[in-house]
């Protein structure tokens, strides 16, 4: 334990995850707990932190956290940094809790083509951990309830855009006509149905029309009720990819390859749909948030650059 | 009562509505009851019909019905007629229940640009009632849970397309993050918020991105929680209008004017959004289904053409 140089925490809405780094920037271990900011009572983030870290000796190492812990509903608000947002800019704008030695990384903000703000908290750190500061012109996706696509270049998040794909999937399947049509095992992926949905999503169309197709395809015997959920999943992810590709192209970025950052079953679905779209999918390594936090900690002087791993 | 020449019924999923016509095709009265096909128990549509008609003398006049009563879950299935579907084609393909003198109008079907079927039951009759057989090149919308847009020409539904706008609005407001943001009176319409949403919907975009704007606009203090529902309503209707306009244009139709067929609060919202889109909105008269049923009954020989109103 004496070798712990940094404790890094990805502290979200429902879950908190902590990693320990040695002074050479190597991961020594991780802990995870259902201690997201929604679970913390009476603002006692200090108690939640102690519970999360357990027997790790938090008193001897600096701590850095990203995610919703820095939101208005979190421990201490870290105002958004505007895009393009570099590792250095994020490090400049960290905030520090008074009683604990915890540094909090800000989220980032941008403005879409229609002048409407877009925001992320936590994903910026994953992006800057999954994309090496030496890489340029990268397009990355973080699949999820609110999927984020970002252009990352030389340690900067140049711009990003959000799609509520996962939430749409959930509400449509649980509460709409599509859910009443759907049968079958929601965990197994029916690849053919998924790809048929993805093809519909990748084509020009309008979501509120395209989803009605589930009803008519089932009615016409062209889609099995067992396949409705995967068809819908493919449709929504296909539409997201199509829109994100156009978004990247408008910025002059090459959408020939996309790095997928995430875990669980979603990255495999994005790999399938990206292949259907003719886009190369790369999958980022694990612990992207941890690596991003290490890089920001270096820029913030929480750990010394001389000890940075080669 | 002796003058009743036709009883016309719009028999949907939740509601049934009946009208009485005299032999000159004038409406004598109407009745409405929560006797849609979902409410009918043990297939006793005959009892539901008797209850709907009440003291009307159903024994002396022919009866014609449109809507879900002709679906697989209805009294007797009337298979879909393919587009373009004329009054004459619908009249040719009616089915008749055995024990009652009830004629049932079929729904209509089409195939979208991606080869996916689209269907309607009941709306075809409203369309052919709200658009005079002498009119040509009409574009019409039936706003609702599943909005229908159709091109109608000389007593034919040339083609149509469905948007699940109303259902998306309901599930997003009741079950998604947008509902948790929303406050205020859902009945009053905040016209400014509605038009701001419509402008976002009418612009190029992707729904799953655009709706995330509700969160960021509220977060940035640019949208009041009281206005979220109307902003979302405008956004969804705006997107529907944009997609329907493109659909009409691809068919070479002029989307300069649209006839709105419907009642309740929705037509006023479509009028607003159509105006924002620079499209002239005409509002159809009441009882479109009744007039369509009269026209189909004439073609089917249930009433005599000599007595058709001038």
């Amino acid at each position: 334990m004496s070798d712990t140089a940094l404790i890094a925490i990805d502290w979200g809405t429902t879950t908190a995850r902590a990693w320990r780094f040695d002074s050479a920037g190597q991961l020594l271990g991780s802990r995870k707990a259902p201690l997201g900011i929604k679970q913390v009572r009476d603002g006692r983030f200090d108690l939640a932190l102690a519970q999360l870290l357990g027997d790790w000796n938090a008193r001897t190492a600096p701590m850095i956290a990203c995610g919703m812990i820095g939101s208005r509903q979190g421990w201490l608000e870290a105002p958004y940094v505007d895009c393009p947002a570099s590792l250095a800019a994020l490090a400049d704008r960290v905030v520090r809790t008074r009683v604990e030695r915890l540094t909090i990384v800000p989220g980032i903000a941008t403005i879409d083509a229609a002048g409407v703000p877009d925001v992320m908290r936590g994903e910026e750190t994953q992006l800057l951990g999954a994309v090496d500061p030496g890489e340029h012109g990268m397009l990355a996706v973080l699949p999820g309830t609110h999927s984020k696509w970002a252009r990352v270049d030389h340690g900067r998040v140049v711009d990003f855009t959000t799609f509520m794909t996962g939430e749409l999937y959930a509400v449509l399947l649980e509460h709409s006509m599509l859910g009443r049509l759907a049968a079958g095992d929601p965990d197994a992926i029916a690849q053919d149905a998924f790809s048929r949905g993805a093809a519909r999503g990748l084509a020009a169309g309008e979501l509120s029309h395209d989803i009605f197709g589930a009803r008519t395809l089932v009615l016409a015997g062209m889609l099995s009720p067992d396949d409705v959920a995967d068809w819908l999943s493919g449709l929504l992810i296909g539409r997201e990819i199509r829109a994100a590709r156009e978004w990247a192209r408008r910025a002059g970025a090459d959408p020939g390859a996309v790095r997928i950052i995430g875990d669980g079953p979603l990255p495999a679905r994005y790999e399938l749909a990206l292949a259907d779209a003719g886009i190369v999918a790369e999958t980022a390594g694990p612990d992207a948030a941890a690596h991003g936090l290490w890089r920001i900690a270096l820029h913030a002087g929480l750990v010394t650059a001389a000890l940075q791993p080669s």
Side-chain angles (χ1 to χ4, degrees), chain A residues 29 145 157 222 256 268 287:
Chain A
T145 306
V157 180
M222 295 161 74
D287 304 315

Short mmCIF file of all heavy atoms in Angstrom, two decimals, chain A residues 29 145 157 222 256 268 287:
data_model
loop_
_atom_site.label_atom_id
_atom_site.label_comp_id
_atom_site.label_asym_id
_atom_site.label_seq_id
_atom_site.Cartn_x
_atom_site.Cartn_y
_atom_site.Cartn_z
N GLY A 29 -4.84 -1.90 -8.58
CA GLY A 29 -6.10 -2.57 -8.24
C GLY A 29 -7.26 -1.62 -8.35
O GLY A 29 -7.08 -0.41 -8.59
N THR A 145 -26.77 4.87 -22.12
CA THR A 145 -28.08 5.52 -21.98
C THR A 145 -28.10 6.80 -22.80
O THR A 145 -29.04 7.06 -23.55
CB THR A 145 -28.34 5.84 -20.50
OG1 THR A 145 -28.19 4.63 -19.76
CG2 THR A 145 -29.73 6.38 -20.30
N VAL A 157 -10.38 17.12 -26.33
CA VAL A 157 -11.70 16.81 -26.88
C VAL A 157 -12.11 18.03 -27.69
O VAL A 157 -12.42 19.09 -27.14
CB VAL A 157 -12.73 16.50 -25.78
CG1 VAL A 157 -14.08 16.18 -26.41
CG2 VAL A 157 -12.26 15.35 -24.90
N MET A 222 -43.14 -10.68 -41.38
CA MET A 222 -41.78 -10.48 -41.87
C MET A 222 -40.77 -10.32 -40.73
O MET A 222 -39.57 -10.19 -40.97
CB MET A 222 -41.74 -9.25 -42.79
CG MET A 222 -42.56 -9.42 -44.07
SD MET A 222 -42.96 -7.83 -44.88
CE MET A 222 -41.36 -7.38 -45.58
N GLY A 256 -13.93 7.09 -41.06
CA GLY A 256 -13.59 5.75 -41.53
C GLY A 256 -13.35 4.76 -40.41
O GLY A 256 -13.47 3.56 -40.61
N ALA A 268 -20.21 -4.72 -28.40
CA ALA A 268 -20.37 -5.73 -29.45
C ALA A 268 -21.45 -5.32 -30.45
O ALA A 268 -21.33 -5.54 -31.66
CB ALA A 268 -20.71 -7.08 -28.83
N ASP A 287 -10.47 0.37 -18.35
CA ASP A 287 -10.03 1.38 -17.37
C ASP A 287 -9.69 2.73 -18.01
O ASP A 287 -8.74 3.41 -17.60
CB ASP A 287 -8.83 0.86 -16.56
CG ASP A 287 -9.16 -0.47 -15.87
OD1 ASP A 287 -10.27 -0.56 -15.30
OD2 ASP A 287 -8.35 -1.40 -15.94
#
